[in-house]
């Protein structure tokens, strides 16, 4: 069989501070992809970036990019309020679509994206990096191999993000301080922008481990009180029941100084009838001053067994758990393979919509102060409109 030429990809939102540098690294490192064009709104910035990365084409107008027959795939690394309209336009122009999470602002938008891709026979992938994170996949494999028996509970926790020094310098010490992330409408999350942005990650991870969907969620909220979100309310704990009614889960979030606890970043504990797994995710690992930890540890029969994964330490986080570029690289590798070889996607538009819906149900639960059935979220419900 003739070798397929690399897919020609346009990176949209190329000048972004957070996801774009990671996508730039990934798109330039996989042989199945060719970074062909960059798109954003600032022409001078784009010229400079294109020169730096030896990319030929730049676009400040998305419609002109879509008219370029030389582009096979658009990579949408733009704020969530633009996801639906840009993904639908790309599908209608016959381009495959990779769109970052959260997939859209409502279930209805997500359905339109799925329908547009199907109508044009293009592929739609939601860039759910936690679902493809190496330690999360390894944990899923151990679960499927029966290492912890039947899963009973998933406990997730997010503590302080801790950037490494070069990332701190690049971000001028401001972290991921970009305006849309704190804006009720642009983020789509209403009073709870942070959860709108991260909810899909935690539900995708829970579904990966449990192998079943999310049925009911309950959110706990209080005054956020810290950082740019201080005036908004924060969701600091979420509990849920999986659709099989046999597994439940919880997530909690506490912003203290990193040294106040042994861990930083995201981690999961998966409790089974025979054993427990501890798995570190984005930015996850030992806090400063504590002994370095393995990304995955299996506790069983009174013994702890560590699993190390190939890969270097992380480019962004203080962690030996290479999340940032490696997880995105895994997603892109999978997507390129699926497009080129016409294979099913492990995480498609339906998956993206499922995790978006659980996220919207979480915000609804916080707003209404009661448990929410995920299936009760209306197609047109948008958190920022409440
Ligand atoms: N999977 C992950 O781990 C991960 C990490 C970070 C961000 N994200 C997601 O990536 C997306 C982008 O987030 P970010 O924090 O990198 O945002 P950002 O604000 O840093 O970058 C967004 C870029 O989009 C550009 N843009 C806005 N409107 C545009 C338009 N009409 N045409 C072209 N460019 C336009 C902006 O100028 C900006 O450069 C979000 O959906 C976010 O949730 C995912």
């Amino acid at each position: 069989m003739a070798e397929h030429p690399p897919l020609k990809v346009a990176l949209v939102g190329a000048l972004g501070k957070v996801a774009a540098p990671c996508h730039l690294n990934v798109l330039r490192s996989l042989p199945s992809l060719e970074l062909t064009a960059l798109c954003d709104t600032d022409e001078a910035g784009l010229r400079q970036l294109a020169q730096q990365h030896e990319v030929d084409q730049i676009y400040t107008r998305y419609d002109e990019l879509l008219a370029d027959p030389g582009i096979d795939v658009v990579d949408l690394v733009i704020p969530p309020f633009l996801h639906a309209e840009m993904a639908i336009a790309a599908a209608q122009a016959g381009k495959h679509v990779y769109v970052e999470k959260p997939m859209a602002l409502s279930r209805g938008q997500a359905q339109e994206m799925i329908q547009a891709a199907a109508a044009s026979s293009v592929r739609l992938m939601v860039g759910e990096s936690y679902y493809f994170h190496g330690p999360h996949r390894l944990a899923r494999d151990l679960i499927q191999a029966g290492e912890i028996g039947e899963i009973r509970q998933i406990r997730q926790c997010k503590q302080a993000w801790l950037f490494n020094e070069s990332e701190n310098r690049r971000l001028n010490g401001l972290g991921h301080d970009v305006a849309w992330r704190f804006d009720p409408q642009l983020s789509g999350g209403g009073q709870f922008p942070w959860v709108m942005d991260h909810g899909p990650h935690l539900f995708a991870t829970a579904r990966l481990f449990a192998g079943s969907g999310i049925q009911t969620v309950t959110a706990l909220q209080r005054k956020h009180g810290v950082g740019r979100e201080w005036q908004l309310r924060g969701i600091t704990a979420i509990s849920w029941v999986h659709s099989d009614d046999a597994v439940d889960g919880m997530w909690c979030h506490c912003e203290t100084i990193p040294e106040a606890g042994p861990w930083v970043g995201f981690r999961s504990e998966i409790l089974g009838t025979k054993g427990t797994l501890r798995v570190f995710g984005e930015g996850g690992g030992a806090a400063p001053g504590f002994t370095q930890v393995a990304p995955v540890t299996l506790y069983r029969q009174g013994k702890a067994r560590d699993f190390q994964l190939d890969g270097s330490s992380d480019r962004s986080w203080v962690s030996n758990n290479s999340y940032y570029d490696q997880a995105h690289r895994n997603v892109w590798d999978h997507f390129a393979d699926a497009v080129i070889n016409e294979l099913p996607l492990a995480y498609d538009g339906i998956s993206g919509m499922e995790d978006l819906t659980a996220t919207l149900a979480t915000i609804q639960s916080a707003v209404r102060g009661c448990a929410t059935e995920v299936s009760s979220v209306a197609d047109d419900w948008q958190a920022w409109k409440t």
Side-chain angles (χ1 to χ4, degrees), residues 16-19 40 83 100-101 129 180-181 197 323-324 328:
K17 263 168 80 175
V18 186
D40 210 302
H83 287 183
E100 269 292 349
K101 42 53 64 178
S129 45
W180 68 261
R181 285 176 176 267
D197 193 41
Y323 166 79
Y324 219 78
H328 291 80

Side-chain angles (χ1 to χ4, degrees), residues 263-278:
W263 321 120
V264 290
F266 183 79
R267 77 174 186 285
S268 303
E269 282 175 16
I270 309 141
L271 286 78
T273 50
K274 289 198 235 160
T276 295
L277 281 162
R278 186 187 64 193

Side-chain angles (χ1 to χ4, degrees), residues 341-354:
N341 298 308
E342 298 181 21
L343 299 171
L345 288 166
Y347 193 98
D348 58 9
I350 303 278
S351 321
M353 183 167 68
E354 211 174 324

Side-chain angles (χ1 to χ4, degrees), residues 162-179:
L162 195 55
F163 293 107
N164 65 36
E165 268 320 302
S166 65
E167 190 68 353
N168 264 336
R169 273 197 301 279
R170 187 180 78 80
L171 298 167
N172 293 327
L174 294 172
H176 292 165
D177 198 2
V178 287

Side-chain angles (χ1 to χ4, degrees), residues 133-136 264 266-267 279-286 292-296 309-315 317-324 326:
H133 178 46
H136 290 163
V264 290
F266 183 79
R267 77 174 186 285
V279 191
F280 287 98
E282 180 175 14
Q292 193 64 265
V293 279
V296 178
L309 278 93
D310 289 343
S312 54
S313 55
D314 200 84
R315 179 177 58 83
W317 310 110
V318 173
S319 172
N320 66 341
N321 176 7
S322 180
Y323 166 79
Y324 219 78
Q326 188 58 47

